[in-house]
Amino acid sequence: MFHPVAWLLWLGAAVLPAMFSQNPLYLGIVCLTAGIVYAVIRRRSPLAQSWSSFLKLGLTLIALTAPFNALVVHAGRLVLFTLPQAWPLVGGPITVEAIIFGASKALSLFTLLLLFAVFNCAVDQSHLLRWTPAFLFEAGLITSIALTFVPQTLHSAQEIREAQAIRGHRFRGVRDLLPLFVPLLTSGLERAMQLAESMEARGFGGSLQPLSPRREALVKVATAMALLGLVSGFFTVTYFQGQQALGQVLLILSLIALALAFNIQSQRVRRTRYRHGVWQRRDTTLAAISAGVAVTVLVVRACTRASLTYYPYPPFSPWPPFNFLLGGALALLVAPAVLAGTRREQAQQPTPILAGEP
Amino acid sequence: MSRVTYYALRGAGCVMLICSLLIFASPPLHAQGSHRAGLVVQFGDGTVVTRCIGFSEDEISGEEILHRSGLTVLFDYTSGLGTRVCKIEADGCEVPAEDCWCQCQGIPCRYWTYFYVVDGAWHYAGLGSSNRTVHDGDVEGWVWGDGRASPPLLTPDDICGTGAEVKPLTPAPSPVPPEPNATANVVQLLPTPPDSNPPPDERTTVTATGSPINLSNYAAFAIIVLALGGLGLFLYKRMA
């Protein structure tokens, strides 16, 4: 449908308002766009089942957070009822403002969950893994093994369960799970051995360009020093306001050192591609729209932070502020649903990963 | 007895036990005439304002003392773990446009530090003002600083005057106490006390949003939502 990188850009743009704003109106618009995008892309994805569990988790969050906030924060003009003052922590007036604020805080978490659920449905993780930087190749490999390991384990657990059930075993309590766990463990170990053998057979690690020992030590020391410099630079900039310039120089220098070290590491890995992703015109459109929305949100936050935040407690109004232009910009996040085309078109178009088959 | 009934009865029993514990643990709530507490506020330029706050309850929170003082105070209620004092009169940070501790992002650090008097000496408060209970005769102090400087030490009599009648719920105009030893650096910052205790719901200050309800903004929101809903329906139909 879309290129994974275009989806990543869309996710990045949509996540920004959820992180910066607790304003329920803006969050509501983002949620609505996420829902529309999900409704349009749903049929294509095998991962669509995760959507409802994300939804349930988010609703539970709202149902827990709003009453909790109302119980512990006793500020506001619209008082519903008053608990006795002598009750520790919860005593005091229970206000509408506190409920609204708790709900809108939870709504921002809910929005994040929703966006990631849509992203999960839209992009296959294995396609995403192709885009891990080369210097992280080991981490990418481990992630891909882990990602395939969990479904495989669940599958074999299901198989063992069925086999035991056929033999007449009933799973009722914790103690009945032993006949499930022991075969699961042995089959998992067996699979790990198989994986190791197949990696060995395919010459895992052999494609790495060797570095001279001196150079390898240099890269390691440079990475460690750069990370140390990065941490101390951040610390200096945020904590010692007098030494801002020193901290910034430290930050820039360590970033350059880190980039150099990663570059050398990346050159060691040679990657060949059997299938190439295709970047289509609508990927460009989606990327441009996402970048526009992200820039708008960032500029608004940099200029007037108050227009994104929402603070219902006195002396401010409990009615959330709303800017038509910002709301309209957020509504553009519906772009993937519009650009996806009809179902027939989608069926005719090859998925990007398969397209470049030689 | 079925299992469901058993669990329901057990749950109800737990709730009743907790309720009865709370009721017995709570002290009797009868007003014992009028109490008074002193409030000392030291601003960044060194000026000190004192207030004598009368209250009819047995105990009130330190936050409530500030509410009743008549000073313009901005609170931050967003954390859920207690209230932060962000601004008193002109000193402090403008929430929500700024962080509540906007001048304490590193060194130097300045914020509204909270003190109270224990055994004739100032103590830096370990708890926030909403979690502290103030009793009759207590003195509360607020200093715009880094937490090392404490406000000038005053007794409730210095602040309220000896034997002066205390008007409950009224922000006492805090006549600068006549004792010369304590009032050397006590300056009356606000010459006219605010008009007789505005209740919290009538307190009017600058609002971030201008008018409380801006209907045209909400109409715009409704238009955007309706447009998105229509678009969503159209796209869904097209998919089917």
Side-chain angles (χ1 to χ4, degrees):
Chain A
M1 188 178 315
F2 292 100
H3 201 271
V5 174
W7 271 119
L8 262 181
L9 278 171
W10 176 82
L11 180 73
V15 155
L16 282 181
M19 290 202 305
F20 291 151
S21 173
Q22 270 114 37
N23 190 323
L25 301 183
Y26 297 138
L27 293 178
I29 288 179
V30 176
C31 280
L32 193 59
T33 56
I36 292 171
V37 172
Y38 170 73
V40 170
I41 63 167
R42 179 180 51 150
R43 282 150 222 246
R44 307 177 48 83
S45 164
L47 288 163
Q49 297 104 325
S50 65
W51 169 268
S52 62
S53 57
F54 271 102
L55 211 65
K56 271 180 210 153
L57 181 64
L59 289 176
T60 319
L61 265 178
I62 294 182
L64 285 178
T65 314
F68 180 77
N69 198 54
L71 280 178
V72 296
V73 176
H74 306 287
R77 300 184 196 88
L78 308 167
V79 176
L80 288 178
F81 57 90
T82 307
L83 293 177
Q85 283 287 354
W87 292 12
L89 196 65
V90 299
I94 303 296
T95 62
V96 176
E97 281 97 331
I99 294 178
I100 296 176
F101 190 75
S104 54
K105 251 183 170 172
L107 185 64
S108 65
L109 277 178
F110 178 65
T111 314
L112 282 177
L113 279 175
L114 214 59
L115 290 170
F116 275 94
V118 171
F119 184 73
N120 260 359
C121 290
V123 181
D124 199 351
Q125 283 97 337
S126 59
H127 296 176
L128 208 59
L129 274 171
R130 296 160 59 99
W131 293 92
T132 47
F135 67 88
L136 286 176
F137 68 100
E138 275 163 342
L141 184 82
I142 290 164
T143 317
S144 66
I145 290 174
L147 277 177
T148 49
F149 177 77
V150 173
Q152 273 177 357
T153 309
L154 286 178
H155 186 70
S156 65
Q158 184 70 29
E159 273 179 353
I160 294 165
R161 209 186 156 91
E162 278 166 8
Q164 299 284 30
I166 288 170
R167 286 190 193 123
H169 186 83
R170 283 196 221 165
F171 293 97
R172 274 168 305 202
V174 183
R175 221 171 273 183
D176 298 335
L177 288 177
L178 199 65
L180 174 65
F181 276 131
V182 174
L184 196 61
L185 199 66
T186 47
S187 72
L189 285 173
E190 237 164 62
R191 247 202 331 275
M193 288 302 292
Q194 270 177 10
L195 182 73
E197 277 166 10
S198 66
M199 277 163 77
E200 188 73 31
R202 287 180 175 84
F204 171 70
S207 59
L208 274 182
Q209 305 288 321
L211 282 180
S212 67
R214 242 187 77 209
R215 221 156 163 223
E216 192 162 347
L218 186 75
V219 166
K220 277 179 182 162
V221 169
T223 313
M225 292 300 287
L227 287 176
L228 203 67
L230 215 58
V231 171
S232 51
F234 268 120
F235 190 73
T236 314
V237 165
T238 49
Y239 202 68
F240 296 102
Q241 309 228 312
Q243 267 92 36
Q244 287 270 358
L246 177 73
Q248 275 157 7
V249 168
L250 206 59
L251 273 182
I252 292 168
L253 282 182
S254 20
L255 277 179
I256 292 172
L258 208 59
L260 282 177
F262 283 161
N263 191 28
I264 293 174
Q265 284 280 51
S266 300
Q267 281 169 5
R268 299 177 62 194
V269 184
R270 267 189 309 121
R271 265 193 186 175
T272 52
R273 293 229 159 136
Y274 179 59
R275 291 165 175 166
H276 294 268
V278 176
W279 183 273
Q280 291 168 313
R281 183 176 291 166
R282 54 183 181 173
D283 295 318
T284 316
T285 320
L286 180 59
I289 290 173
S290 305
V293 173
V295 167
T296 312
V297 173
L298 287 176
V299 165
V300 166
R301 181 179 153 84
C303 293
T304 53
R305 195 178 151 191
S307 61
L308 270 180
T309 52
Y310 171 54
Y311 191 79
Y313 299 113
F316 302 99
S317 159
W319 296 92
F322 186 73
N323 185 332
F324 179 65
L325 292 176
L326 186 56
L330 292 181
L332 288 179
L333 288 172
V334 80
V338 181
L339 294 172
T342 61
R343 204 179 178 195
R344 194 170 295 153
E345 280 170 31
Q346 284 178 14
Q348 283 164 1
Q349 278 161 358
T351 52
I353 296 302
L354 294 174
E357 225 170 82
Chain B
M1 188 160 49
S2 79
R3 211 169 210 193
V4 178
T5 337
Y6 170 69
Y7 279 118
L9 277 178
R10 212 165 78 165
C14 280
V15 169
M16 274 168 68
L17 187 68
I18 290 169
C19 284
S20 57
L21 274 179
L22 277 172
I23 287 166
F24 283 119
S26 57
L29 278 174
H30 50 81
Q32 296 187 339
S34 54
H35 305 300
R36 60 180 195 178
L39 174 68
V40 184
V41 180
Q42 184 175 331
F43 291 93
D45 57 359
T47 52
V48 173
V49 170
T50 61
R51 286 279 186 274
C52 178
I53 284 102
F55 53 96
S56 53
E57 297 92 332
D58 280 339
E59 51 177 42
I60 61 176
S61 68
E63 181 193 342
E64 194 59 34
I65 291 276
L66 279 177
H67 274 301
R68 297 184 188 184
S69 69
L71 297 165
T72 312
V73 185
L74 266 183
F75 294 97
D76 178 15
Y77 302 103
T78 53
S79 87
L81 291 172
T83 309
R84 293 192 284 177
V85 172
C86 306
K87 193 177 183 186
I88 303 180
E89 297 293 335
D91 282 344
C93 304
E94 197 71 48
V95 283
E98 294 173 309
D99 188 76
C100 183
W101 287 325
C102 65
Q103 297 200 37
C104 190
Q105 307 283 344
I107 294 172
C109 165
R110 279 146 70 85
Y111 64 106
W112 276 108
T113 51
Y114 185 33
F115 293 87
Y116 50 80
V117 173
V118 181
D119 300 330
W122 284 115
H123 279 254
Y124 180 83
L127 284 174
S129 59
S130 55
N131 296 324
R132 170 163 162 75
T133 48
V134 180
H135 300 92
D136 184 30
D138 280 352
V139 179
E140 305 269 294
W142 290 92
V143 181
W144 178 247
D146 60 358
R148 285 183 206 136
S150 55
L153 190 58
L154 300 172
T155 64
D157 287 344
D158 293 335
I159 298 168
C160 298
T162 37
E165 79 285 5
V166 181
K167 295 177 214 144
L169 302 181
T170 310
S174 116
V176 178
E179 284 87 340
N181 57 344
T183 56
N185 54 354
V186 174
V187 183
Q188 185 71 16
L189 190 74
L190 307 166
T192 49
D195 39 359
S196 70
N197 185 40
D201 49 341
E202 281 169 30
R203 205 171 288 156
T204 48
T205 6
V206 202
T207 57
T209 50
S211 60
I213 311 169
N214 194 340
L215 273 182
S216 64
N217 276 347
Y218 290 103
F221 174 69
I223 288 172
I224 289 179
V225 167
L226 283 178
L228 274 179
L231 183 70
L233 267 183
F234 167 71
L235 291 172
Y236 193 76
K237 285 266 168 66
R238 196 175 67 168
M239 288 294 296

